[in-house]
Amino acid sequence: LGRLLGRSTSVMLRMRADNAFADKVIDRFGTGITITSNREEDFEFSVKARADADLYSWVFRCGGGVEILAPISACEEYKKLCYAAQI
């Protein structure tokens, strides 16, 4: 897992965030995000960014208000880190 978190290349991430987290998303990624779905309670967006420990930490600190949807590899890495943190 450690070698995966050390990657420096960006990937296209698809994420979902509660509308209350819109400012946090813009603070994190800037205005270069592409909103792909905007509903009353949340929105989905795509952004090219590194899927690394810094991103996963930020998502975790959002307390469920932000979720990684794709790629599957980023979702699995995040889940592994969350599981490892519980031990």
Side-chain angles (χ1 to χ4, degrees):
L1 186 60
R3 66 178 162 65
L4 298 174
L5 295 177
R7 82 162 75 88
S8 62
T9 58
S10 296
V11 296
M12 186 57 72
L13 296 166
R14 190 166 54 91
M15 303 178 76
R16 179 183 302 126
D18 293 344
N19 286 336
F21 286 84
D23 288 340
K24 287 184 184 267
V25 169
I26 291 170
D27 287 346
R28 171 76 187 187
F29 300 110
T31 56
I33 65 171
T34 301
I35 296 177
T36 57
S37 175
N38 192 3
R39 293 182 293 267
E40 194 170 316
E41 65 281 342
D42 61 21
F43 63 100
E44 290 183 12
F45 64 97
S46 296
V47 63
K48 191 166 187 169
R50 290 188 307 180
D52 59 11
D54 189 44
L55 172 74
Y56 300 139
S57 175
W58 177 79
V59 170
F60 184 80
R61 287 190 316 269
C62 288
V66 177
E67 177 183 3
I68 301 169
L69 302 175
I72 295 298
S73 59
C75 297
E76 289 173 353
E77 283 179 4
Y78 178 69
K79 287 177 187 176
K80 285 179 187 176
L81 285 173
C82 288
Y83 178 76
Q86 293 178 1
I87 296 175

